[in-house]
């Protein structure tokens, strides 16, 4: 025994939403939740996304969010044609589907692009002679239906915005016919079925469980619809029009009875009035034991629920019904060529896949080896950088060790340059080491020859003199020696002197080998 499926069947009318959440088993439908909500007046019913968002909220309130949806399309949305097609013995279903689509393309006025075309077989294997004297050819009668592409897209947009998946798009008239299947088997001829919806009334002709004819009228028990004409009277008029339209069609037979699907006083009144108008037997077909509806549903909504629940019964019956979400596909003339191309593609994939697997294994091995070498190289770079850093520190220290100055030689030399102590004497002599170490880069790599020592020392000497000429003479001798760069310190006064001396020589004795370049003195004096 197959497990029950949980689905939601939805009927969207211009003014009201009707939806039933049901548990479906073969031959049995149990409605567990019922939604009946008026369509918001400020919502554009043509906007599928807006309708879907609102539908999703309504289903969520009823605990039916993210369900599988069965949409019940109205008869007014669908083009229906009854076709008789040649059907020789052994004809494939896909060939028959192609014939149906071709015939619909010839008879329809709307473009077939993106249009969903499906059909159901009414009879098969009948002999139908084309002309007297000719051999009879087997034929099949089908009821073909087409849902335009823009309407199909609207349903898809609604389901997507509601966060649900479309399981099926059926025909409301087909659901009504499914509810009349048992009744039709008990009559000698077809029956005229009537289903009262919220905004429309569906009329169907059913024979032996097969839908032969369908039509709808856009009126119903919804408030505000032509209060001058009683609903029952209008239904009776449209029932007679339906009977007349069916009788003038090809392959029609005498209707045996008129049947209203539903229960309650309104259904019985409609059946009686239509029976009187058509002068035939009438009855009310209440949902049988196979359908279980909540008792709290109002009478008008129970009448509208019949066609919706009938779609769920039709889906579980052995007879395949109309499904615009998954229509039957016609034969593909290019199928053989496509199979050959796919087989060739499969061969390429197999051969290429094997090569790819082998190459991938080799590539993985090389990739692992590359990563190992990269890790080793990274460690070598770290070790090299550490060695270069240690070398730089060592060479920096070595150059500092050579940045010494012979202070005693400098003091001795300066002392020798002083005039007679009776003419001048030194009050203060101070010295400071000013050697610098530079690294001159060459390119982007470190090189050991880039280190350079720039030796240097500075002295400050102040003292007293008897005359200003003695200080000037001392400064002149120091400048002429080229050992120091000489600058006067402070203003020239008669009885004192101050000099700033700087040199790049470790000892004055080196002046003959590496004479220093003098700098201009301050205050406009010599260098």
């Amino acid at each position: 025994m197959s497990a029950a499926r949980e689905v939601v069947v939805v009927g969207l009318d211009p003014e009201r939403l009707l939806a039933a959440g049901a548990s479906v088993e073969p031959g049995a439908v149990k409605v567990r939740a019922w939604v009946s909500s008026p369509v918001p007046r400020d919502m554009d019913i043509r906007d599928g996304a807006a309708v879907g968002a609102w539908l999703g909220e309504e289903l969520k309130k009823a605990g039916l969010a993210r369900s599988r949806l069965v949409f019940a399309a109205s008869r007014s949305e669908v083009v229906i044609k009854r076709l008789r097609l040649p059907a020789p013995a052994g004809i494939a279903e896909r060939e028959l589907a192609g014939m149906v689509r071709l015939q619909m393309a010839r008879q329809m006025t709307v473009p077939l692009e993106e249009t969903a075309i499906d059909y159901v077989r009414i009879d098969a294997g009948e002999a139908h002679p084309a002309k007297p004297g000719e051999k009879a050819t087997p034929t099949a009668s089908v009821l073909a239906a087409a849902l335009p592409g823009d309407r199909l897209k609207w349903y898809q947009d609604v389901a997507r915005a509601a966060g649900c998946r479309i399981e099926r798009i059926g025909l409301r008239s087909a659901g009504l016919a499914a509810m009349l299947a048992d009744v039709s088997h008990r009559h000698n001829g077809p029956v005229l079925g009537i289903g009262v919806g919220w905004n429309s009334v569906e009329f169907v002709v059913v024979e032996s469980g097969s839908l032969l004819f369908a039509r709808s009228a856009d009126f119903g028990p919804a408030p505000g619809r032509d209060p001058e004409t009683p609903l029952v009277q209008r239904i009776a008029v449209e029932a007679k029009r339906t009977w007349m339209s069916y009788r003038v069609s090809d392959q029609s037979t005498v209707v045996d009875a008129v049947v209203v699907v539903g229960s309650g006083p309104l259904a019985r009144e409609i059946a009686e009035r239509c029976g009187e108008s058509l002068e035939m037997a009438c009855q009310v077909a209440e949902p049988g034991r196979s359908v279980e509806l909540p008792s709290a549903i109002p009478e008008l909504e129970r009448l509208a629920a019949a066609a919706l629940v009938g779609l769920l019964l039709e889906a579980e019956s052995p007879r395949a019904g109309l499904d615009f979400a998954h229509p039957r596909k016609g034969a593909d003339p290019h199928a053989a060529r496509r199979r050959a191309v796919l087989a060739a593609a499969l061969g390429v994939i197999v051969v290429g896949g094997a090569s790819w697997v082998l190459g991938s294994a080799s590539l993985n091995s090389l990739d692992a080896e590359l990563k190992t070498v990269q890790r080793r190289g990274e460690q070598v770079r770290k070790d090299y950088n550490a060695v270069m850093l240690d070398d730089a520190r060592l060479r920096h220290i070595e150059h500092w060790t050579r940045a010494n100055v012979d202070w005693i030689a400098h003091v001795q030399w300066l002392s020798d340059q002083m005039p007679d102590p009776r003419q001048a004497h030194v009050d203060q002599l101070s010295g400071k080491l000013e050697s610098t170490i530079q690294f001159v880069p060459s390119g982007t790599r470190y090189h050991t020859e880039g280190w350079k020592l720039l030796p240097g020392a500075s002295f400050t000497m102040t003292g007293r003199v008897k005359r200003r000429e003695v200080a000037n003479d001392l400064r002149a001798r120091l400048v002429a020696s080229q050992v120091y760069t000489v600058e006067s310190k402070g203003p020239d006064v008669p009885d004192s002197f101050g000099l700033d001396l700087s040199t790049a020589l470790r000892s004055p004795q080196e002046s003959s080998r590496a004479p220093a370049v003098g700098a201009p003195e301050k205050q406009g004096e010599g260098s």
Side-chain angles (χ1 to χ4, degrees), residues 378-392:
E378 184 66 24
Q379 185 60 43
V380 169
R381 280 193 295 272
K382 290 181 180 179
D383 295 342
Y384 174 79
N385 291 339
V387 170
M388 292 297 100
L389 181 60
D390 291 341
D391 180 82

Side-chain angles (χ1 to χ4, degrees), residues 232-252:
V232 177
Q233 180 180 344
R234 298 192 66 187
I235 293 177
V237 172
E238 292 298 331
K240 195 164 188 176
R241 289 178 179 171
T242 302
W243 175 79
M244 294 174 63
S245 298
Y246 170 70
R247 288 295 293 148
V248 299
S249 64
D250 294 339
Q251 309 169 29
S252 64

Side-chain angles (χ1 to χ4, degrees), residues 306-317:
L308 304 185
V309 176
L311 279 177
L312 302 182
L313 278 178
E314 182 195 28
E316 296 300 326
S317 67

Side-chain angles (χ1 to χ4, degrees), residues 92-99 328-335 338:
E93 195 69 27
R94 294 182 68 88
E95 294 180 4
L96 188 60
M99 295 166 63
R328 295 168 178 82
K329 301 294 185 182
D332 187 356
H334 303 292
R338 187 162 52 252

Side-chain angles (χ1 to χ4, degrees), residues 32-117:
R32 301 182 181 276
W34 179 254
V35 178
S36 176
S37 301
V39 175
R41 293 185 179 276
D42 58 346
M43 186 177 68
D44 185 2
I45 194 69
R46 297 169 298 180
D47 187 351
V51 174
W54 171 70
L55 172 63
E57 291 297 324
E58 295 298 319
L59 295 180
K60 185 177 180 181
K61 294 176 185 177
L64 301 174
R66 298 190 177 278
S67 303
R68 294 183 295 179
L69 300 184
V70 175
F71 283 110
S74 173
R75 170 65 181 85
S76 60
E77 302 176 66
V78 179
V79 178
I80 296 181
K81 300 286 184 180
R82 185 172 177 178
L83 306 174
R84 183 183 291 276
L85 303 171
I91 185 173
E93 195 69 27
R94 294 182 68 88
E95 294 180 4
L96 188 60
M99 295 166 63
V100 169
R101 189 171 184 87
L102 178 60
Q103 288 296 325
M104 291 294 285
R106 292 175 176 176
Q107 299 188 32
M108 289 178 57
T109 58
V110 298
L112 286 187
E113 187 172 351
E114 304 299 331
T115 297
I117 299 178

Side-chain angles (χ1 to χ4, degrees), residues 253-276:
T253 56
V254 177
V255 175
D256 192 56
V258 57
V259 184
V260 177
V261 181
S263 61
L266 180 60
R268 288 191 293 272
E269 183 181 357
I270 293 172
E272 292 172 359
R273 178 65 65 87
C274 292
E276 294 174 1

Side-chain angles (χ1 to χ4, degrees), residues 182-194:
D182 292 341
V183 176
S184 66
H185 284 293
R186 295 195 292 268
H187 286 267
N188 294 326
V191 297
L192 173 61
I194 300 175

Side-chain angles (χ1 to χ4, degrees), residues 469-486:
E469 291 79 3
V470 176
N472 292 340
D473 180 64
L474 174 61
R475 180 169 56 82
R477 286 199 304 276
L478 293 176
V479 170
S481 69
Q482 296 186 355
V483 176
Y484 302 101
T485 299
V486 183

